[in-house]
């Protein structure tokens, strides 16, 4: 398993707080590899694939083709971890990421149509349901993710809008937080539409991390 962080050249000021939180709350984490369009992260290995946002899926496919692990733990660069990661549940998801299953989404279940199964702590997403295919923090089968991304040459938001599930199964966390990055259903955390959320600043202040907020400014969201 590799821990893949989706980033870009506009988010350099996020590198240090992400690293601090990851090392503090996810000790002995998998090897980290950053995906960027140009800038190199000094904290972790970085694979640069030049691309513009409208061809993001093509860039990410090229990046993933250079990863040799079967499974990738996908995170975004503003996922500032807030407490110890539940490594046992990640291992459980990894063990069961087989067959038709493409992804275990680590955000908490939000849809009443999510189906209870025999997989402890996870529900099955209904095919065609909203955000069945999600690029939120989660554990993916790398080859299946490449196949999903190959359905269109687009920006990341179009992937979640168009829902190219490729007939795979997608599960979502039905228990406590596996990786708590501050996100609560429909309430953004970290960066929202290119600006900092006030909630993220409150958290980072509490652990003594002070990025340069003046570059992006603040969103009106919490």
């Amino acid at each position: 398993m590799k821990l893949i962080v989706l980033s870009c050249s506009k988010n350099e000021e996020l590198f240090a707080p992400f690293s601090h939180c990851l090392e503090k709350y996810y000790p002995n984490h998998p090897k980290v590899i950053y995906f960027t369009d140009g800038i190199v992260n000094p904290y972790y290995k970085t694979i640069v694939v030049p691309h513009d946002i409208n061809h993001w899926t093509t860039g990410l496919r090229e990046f993933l083709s250079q990863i040799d692990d079967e499974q990738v733990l996908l995170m975004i660069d503003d996922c500032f971890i807030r407490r110890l990661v539940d490594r046992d549940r990640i291992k459980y998801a990894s063990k069961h990421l087989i067959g038709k299953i493409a992804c275990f989404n680590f955000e908490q279940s939000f849809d009443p149509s999510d189906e209870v199964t025999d997989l402890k702590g996870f529900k099955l997403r209904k095919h065609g349901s909203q955000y069945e295919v999600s690029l939120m923090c989660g554990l993916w089968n790398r080859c299946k993710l490449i196949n999903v991304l190959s359905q269109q040459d687009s920006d990341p938001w179009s992937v979640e809008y168009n829902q190219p599930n490729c007939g795979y199964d997608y599960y979502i966390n039905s228990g406590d937080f596996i990786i708590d990055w501050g996100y609560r259903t429909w309430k953004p955390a970290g960066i929202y539409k290119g600006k900092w959320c006030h909630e993220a600043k409150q958290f980072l202040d509490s652990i003594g991390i002070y990025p340069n907020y003046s570059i992006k400014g603040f969103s009106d969201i919490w």
Side-chain angles (χ1 to χ4, degrees):
M1 182 193 305
K2 292 292 191 301
L3 199 167
I4 302 306
V5 184
L6 309 178
S7 188
C8 66
S9 298
K10 295 180 179 180
N11 286 352
E12 183 176 6
E13 68 270 29
L14 278 60
F15 291 171
F18 181 95
S19 175
H20 176 91
C21 295
L22 180 68
E23 300 303 327
K24 181 176 182 179
Y25 295 115
Y26 195 176
N28 301 313
H29 56 72
K31 181 177 180 180
V32 178
I33 306 178
Y34 261 66
F35 164 63
T36 79
D37 54 354
I39 196 170
V40 173
N41 185 325
Y43 299 94
Y44 303 109
K45 178 178 179 179
T46 304
I47 296 178
V48 174
V49 180
H51 63 278
D52 62 58
I53 193 63
N54 293 320
H55 303 279
W56 180 87
T57 54
T58 300
L60 184 54
R61 291 201 311 271
E62 181 179 334
F63 168 88
L64 290 168
S65 71
Q66 300 180 55
I67 307 299
D68 55 8
D69 285 53
E70 178 88 11
Q71 300 179 358
V72 291
L73 175 51
L74 201 68
M75 295 187 70
I76 304 173
D77 58 6
D78 65 340
C79 289
F80 307 120
I81 302 176
R82 314 304 172 93
R83 56 171 158 159
L84 283 175
V85 168
D86 192 335
R87 297 174 63 192
D88 289 339
R89 294 192 63 204
I90 293 177
K91 290 178 182 177
Y92 179 87
S94 176
K95 178 181 177 181
H96 291 87
L97 188 58
I98 56 177
K100 288 181 60 181
I101 301 176
C103 176
F104 284 97
N105 183 349
F106 289 166
E107 67 179 312
Q108 291 184 306
S109 175
F110 55 85
D111 190 332
S113 69
D114 292 342
E115 180 183 346
V116 175
T117 71
D118 58 357
L119 291 183
K120 183 179 179 181
F122 291 96
K123 289 183 177 180
L124 176 64
R125 302 300 325 277
K126 182 179 179 180
H127 284 313
S129 60
Q130 188 177 30
Y131 296 111
E132 178 190 9
V133 179
S134 171
L135 297 174
M136 282 286 199
C137 179
L139 184 66
W140 279 84
N141 174 283
R142 182 182 61 88
C143 291
K144 290 182 173 62
L145 176 55
I146 290 174
N147 194 22
V148 167
L149 295 170
S150 70
Q151 303 306 303
Q152 58 192 68
D153 182 19
S154 71
D155 59 67
W157 303 283
S158 295
V159 175
E160 295 187 328
Y161 178 78
N162 293 324
Q163 296 292 286
N165 65 35
C166 297
Y168 301 135
D169 289 335
Y170 299 81
Y171 283 76
I172 191 167
N173 175 24
S174 61
D176 195 6
F177 294 103
I178 299 171
I179 299 178
D180 183 359
W181 67 96
Y183 177 78
R184 305 295 184 264
T185 304
W186 311 125
K187 288 187 176 181
I191 303 295
Y192 179 71
K193 293 186 175 180
K195 296 182 179 295
W196 286 93
C197 294
H198 290 280
E199 185 275 340
K201 181 180 184 300
Q202 292 172 7
F203 167 68
L204 293 174
D205 283 351
S206 74
I207 60 173
I209 301 297
Y210 307 103
N212 185 353
Y213 295 110
S214 65
I215 297 174
K216 298 183 182 302
F218 287 94
S219 169
D220 293 331
I221 302 296
W222 74 316

